[in-house]
Amino acid sequence: KEKIGGLLKNAHQVENYLGYLKISGGKLCKRLEKHLKKWQIPLIQEEVLSIKRTASSKLFTVKAKAGSYQSRSLILATGTQSKKWRPPGGPLLQKFLNKKIFYEAALFRNSKKAKKVAVIGGGDLAFDYALGLKKKGHHPLILIRHHAKALPLLLQRTCKNKIHCFEQVKIKKIQRQGKMLIFRSTQGDF
């Protein structure tokens, strides 16, 4: 429903896409879009509301906000979205959203000045985001609710790049202190 590639645009490095040994997620998204345009493949960017298939017509009907589309085949490529995702914080979270708190690394990377950055999460995305931020000159640290679940390769690279990782961190509150945000947690303040 949004830009081509979804969360892929945030990937620091993609190494598991056939044809590329290493490529940034942003570059891969641009190449995918260029490929679609070259072959004049129509791209409809809408939110899908429902999908139905009737036995009589053997067609899928995809209903979106602006209209309906039919096809004999359908590929669901829903991307990486956690069903258990829970944002930390509370009202303060909304107050600083897209100013000091971001859901995607691509939104933060516009920052020119090197900053201390807390990356909250323990999966592949969190570790990849932290590596990308480190490459841009920032100073990330990773706060994980339970245990790290990232690929061993990402864990090794994070360690090699001296990115600190804290496990068993349950954020209780986010407070502003001057220009910084302080994350109050069961493990102390970050």
Side-chain angles (χ1 to χ4, degrees), residues 135-162:
K135 186 176 180 182
K136 297 280 185 183
H138 298 291
H139 310 287
L141 61 97
I142 303 172
L143 306 177
I144 305 169
R145 185 184 311 255
H146 298 292
H147 297 286
K149 296 176 185 168
L151 292 167
L153 181 66
L154 291 172
L155 295 171
Q156 291 169 359
R157 288 181 181 162
T158 303
C159 192
K160 182 181 175 186
N161 281 279
K162 297 182 174 100

Side-chain angles (χ1 to χ4, degrees), residues 108 111-117 133-134 136-140:
F108 179 79
S111 177
K112 305 277 189 247
K113 185 179 172 189
K115 297 179 181 179
K116 290 182 183 177
V117 183
L133 290 166
K134 180 77 172 188
K136 297 280 185 183
H138 298 291
H139 310 287

Side-chain angles (χ1 to χ4, degrees), residues 80-104:
T80 306
Q81 294 296 326
S82 172
K83 291 178 180 143
K84 295 181 181 179
W85 183 83
R86 292 171 287 177
L92 186 67
L93 182 76
Q94 294 303 317
K95 183 178 178 182
F96 292 109
L97 192 59
N98 295 325
K99 294 175 189 153
K100 289 194 173 284
I101 297 175
F102 303 89
Y103 290 114
E104 296 183 34

Side-chain angles (χ1 to χ4, degrees), residues 15 48 50-52 60 67 73 102 118 120 125 130 143 172 174:
E15 298 174 81
V48 174
S50 68
I51 300 171
K52 292 182 181 174
F60 289 97
S73 301
F102 303 89
I120 301 171
L125 286 176
L143 306 177
K172 302 278 188 190
I174 302 173

Side-chain angles (χ1 to χ4, degrees), residues 46-65:
E46 291 187 49
E47 182 176 351
V48 174
L49 301 173
S50 68
I51 300 171
K52 292 182 181 174
R53 184 174 186 210
T54 57
S56 59
S57 71
K58 296 183 181 179
L59 290 176
F60 289 97
T61 301
V62 177
K63 185 178 175 190
K65 286 186 175 182

